[in-house]
Amino acid sequence: MIASSGNPPSSANVTVLLRLFRIRSSPTKWRMIRLVLTASILAAAAPALADPCTAPVDGYKSSQRITGQVRYAGDGDSLCVGPSSDPRSWVEIREARWFAPELHEAGGRQAKAVMDSLVGRHATCIVERGRNGSTRSYDRVIAACAVDGRPIGKIMTRAGIAEGGRGR
């Protein structure tokens, strides 16, 4: 019987699995199977990292103002803005006038680092319509934001971040 205690399976348990599925393995295949099983177990055990912004994003109208502190930076052009420390009040925003490189692209991590440096500062965001006419992009409100009175695009440009990503 294979243990279901959440602990990784022992070699004996893996051997039972191999016999059960009639897998004959050479030492090389055995190492590969152990690697795949170990990676699968670790991936299943890893906690999901979700952004903490939980305020509803429906119902925002173009030109509506969202103000509060920058509470969280998702990447180089996504942030959460909220008036209180309660994540239920944090609205996730897709910056309308700046397209940061994706996190896996060159400059993506640097763009997120600049956005992370804005956490705790005051943001004023004006809701805009996207290319599809909606004020939403996936689970985010589309808005042009300024932090401490400076547009995010200018903050990023002054930090040496080049635009990129899917929007350009």
Side-chain angles (χ1 to χ4, degrees):
M1 191 73 176
I2 297 175
S4 61
S5 65
N7 295 326
S10 67
S11 299
N13 289 338
V14 173
T15 303
V16 169
L17 276 176
L18 294 175
R19 285 186 187 148
L20 192 72
F21 293 104
R22 300 173 197 257
I23 299 172
R24 294 183 181 227
S25 62
S26 66
T28 303
K29 283 184 185 176
W30 174 247
R31 278 189 291 257
M32 183 58 74
I33 290 168
R34 279 192 359 206
L35 177 67
V36 169
L37 284 172
T38 302
S40 299
I41 291 164
L42 290 175
L49 299 175
D51 65 61
C53 318
T54 58
V57 295
D58 291 324
Y60 283 93
K61 307 235 182 294
S62 187
S63 301
Q64 188 172 346
R65 185 179 298 257
I66 299 170
T67 62
Q69 280 188 330
V70 177
R71 301 289 179 169
Y72 172 81
D75 58 22
D77 50 26
S78 295
L79 64 155
C80 296
V81 174
S84 75
S85 61
D86 182 356
R88 292 175 295 185
S89 71
W90 301 357
V91 179
E92 187 167 8
I93 294 173
R94 165 51 173 105
E95 170 56 42
R97 298 184 182 179
W98 175 258
F99 295 93
E102 299 299 320
L103 286 173
H104 65 276
E105 295 176 348
R109 294 272 174 209
Q110 293 85 353
K112 182 180 180 343
V114 172
M115 196 66 91
D116 283 338
S117 74
L118 303 178
V119 171
R121 296 169 61 188
H122 183 75
T124 301
C125 304
I126 307 298
V127 177
E128 294 188 0
R129 294 196 182 281
R131 293 180 186 151
N132 64 359
S134 174
T135 58
R136 282 185 55 184
S137 173
Y138 300 101
D139 60 345
R140 303 171 293 178
V141 175
I142 302 169
C145 297
V147 176
D148 294 337
R150 293 178 40 215
I152 285 181
K154 288 191 179 195
I155 293 169
M156 296 299 234
T157 302
R158 286 188 183 151
I161 307 298
E163 279 194 275
R166 288 179 254 169
R168 290 285 169 198

